[in-house]
Structure formats: structure tokens, C-alpha cells
Amino acid sequence: MELTVDELAARAGVTVRTVRFYAGRGLLPPPRLRGRTGLYGPAHLARLELVRELQSLGLTLASIEKHLTKIPLDAPAEDLALQRALLSPWAPERPEELHRDELDRRVGHRLDDETIKRLEALGVVEPLPDGAVRVVSPALLSSSAELARLPMPLETLVASHATVDRYTTALAAELQQVFQDTVVRPYREGGRAPEERERLMEMAGKLKPLMIQSLVTSFQRAVDKAIRQSVPAGRDPSARERTSE
């Protein structure tokens, strides 16, 4: 596959100006020249797609440049596709801007101003100047709306949200490091064999939903254990009655 800069931009979903800007910043390797025409291949397209994936994660251009310096400019498209697969969000979603009536329809009932304020405190929605709201996490909207309606102090909700965010962030970082050390690094040090790359991409795709389900189940068990430990130690009264009989 050989593409002109216009064809490359169209395939990547960006403008020609963006392609040239990235090339000027060293994010893309130089094209192959045919006369005065620059021709781009699969690796250029894969690198552009990787840049867009990193942008969707909220990384700044400086952070993206720093990350890409670790990837050789002559890296094949397959390696870049693997990078993208490993970096892609486990539950991809994009923020949405909704007017209040659409927001009410989405959650199935009317949200009063107090509930909206509680959702703002939880970081689920952000107010916009025109009275609409920006839903930061559409997947969490319904459950968060029900949570915000509970007759519970706002500080309790905020503290609970902060606790969950703190520990899940630490857990994600540790799991990511384990995967890099025990799976990705051996692949790189082993010569990046094509069959290993295919196996790694397949495993990454299957790992994500399985890991999410495992985390949910483990959390449920941990909550049950914490509840049992909060009950004062002692014999079950019914057990004493059975013993006396």
C-alpha cells in the first residue's frame, strides 16, 4: 500500500495539515519519494492511528511525543497495531453533551437541581453555559443518578467516590506493570516474532472482559468479608440452642 498525503489523511480521518504537523514534530517517519511525490505506507497509517488512540486517552502532545520516542521509526505496522491494542481503553466511551430533557430521558426520570449538583460532585456531569451538561462517563450515568438520589450525605458519596478512584487507579497501574514485565517485555526481548505478536494481540483482547468480571467478583467477595468482620465475634444463638438440645 502506497498512499499520497491526501490519501493517508483521508484513511486516518485527519487533515493533510495535521499529517504534515505530525511529520514536522517527528511523530511520523519520512515518506518514500517518487520524484517529488511523497508516498506513505501501512506503518505511517498505523502510527497515525496510534497517535489518535493516545489522544483519546487524554494525553497531551508532549506526552504522546515522549511515548513515541520509545518506538523506532522503522517499526512495522503490526507492532504499532499491537501497541494500539494494548493501549486501547477497556470500556471505550466518549463524553456526551445533553440538554436537561435528554438527560432526564436517558436516566428514565426527572433529575432535580440537587441531584444534578450531586452528580457534579461525583464527577459524572459538568455544567455547560447553555444549561446543558457534559456527561463525562455515559456508562455510569444511570447508576450514578440512582446513587445520587439516595438519602445519604453528599460528603459520604464524595468520600466513597474518592476512595474507589484512588484504589482502582493504583490497582490498574500495578496490573499494567505486571503485564508489561511478564508478557510485553519478554515478547520484545524475544525478537518480536510474528506468531508471538498475533498470540499477544489475541490474548489482550480476551483478557480485558475477563479481568473486569474478575475484579467485580473479587470486590463483591471483599465487601462480604468486610461485612462479616464488622459483626462482633460470638456464637450463633441458634447454634447454642441446638447444642443444648
Side-chain angles (χ1 to χ4, degrees), residues 3-6 20 30-40:
L3 305 170
T4 65
V5 66
D6 297 272
R20 288 175 173 155
R32 186 181 73 83
L33 292 178
R34 186 175 62 192
R36 298 180 61 182
T37 302
L39 297 176
Y40 300 83

Side-chain angles (χ1 to χ4, degrees), residues 10-206:
R11 289 283 295 271
V14 299
T15 65
V16 172
R17 182 179 180 181
T18 298
V19 173
R20 288 175 173 155
F21 173 74
Y22 288 161
R25 297 293 293 260
L27 300 182
L28 293 176
R32 186 181 73 83
L33 292 178
R34 186 175 62 192
R36 298 180 61 182
T37 302
L39 297 176
Y40 300 83
H44 294 92
L45 179 59
R47 192 172 285 264
L48 276 176
E49 291 172 339
L50 178 57
V51 170
R52 294 191 65 188
E53 190 69 56
L54 293 168
Q55 287 177 326
S56 72
L57 295 175
L59 271 68
T60 64
L61 184 59
S63 298
I64 293 174
E65 290 176 340
K66 184 177 181 180
H67 178 78
L68 290 183
T69 56
K70 303 175 184 177
I71 305 175
L73 284 177
D74 60 351
E78 294 80 8
D79 273 4
L80 294 166
L82 174 60
Q83 277 280 331
R84 185 183 174 199
L86 295 176
L87 291 171
S88 62
W90 284 22
E93 59 176 346
R94 296 187 182 278
E96 297 181 45
E97 294 184 5
L98 303 176
H99 289 284
R100 289 290 295 271
D101 56 346
E102 175 62 18
L103 186 66
D104 293 344
R105 189 191 67 79
R106 188 72 64 87
V107 299
H109 55 80
R110 183 180 179 279
L111 299 176
D112 56 28
D113 292 340
E114 179 60 26
T115 302
I116 294 294
K117 290 180 180 179
R118 290 162 76 88
L119 287 174
E120 290 178 25
L122 291 173
V124 178
V125 302
E126 298 173 349
L128 297 175
D130 59 355
V133 296
R134 180 174 182 266
V135 183
V136 179
S137 178
L140 290 176
L141 178 59
S142 295
S143 59
S144 297
E146 291 301 316
L147 184 63
R149 294 179 68 194
L150 294 177
M152 187 180 297
L154 179 58
E155 56 267 28
T156 302
L157 294 177
V158 173
S160 300
H161 173 75
T163 299
V164 171
D165 184 68
R166 181 171 66 254
Y167 284 104
T168 52
T169 299
L171 176 62
E174 186 170 342
L175 289 176
Q176 171 75 359
Q177 190 61 53
V178 169
F179 190 79
Q180 289 289 330
D181 292 342
T182 62
V183 178
V184 178
R185 184 177 298 170
Y187 158 75
R188 290 171 176 165
E189 294 176 349
R192 305 172 188 261
E195 60 273 14
E196 284 298 307
R197 179 172 56 243
E198 294 298 325
R199 184 183 66 84
L200 185 54
M201 290 187 68
E202 181 182 4
M203 179 174 61
K206 293 180 177 179

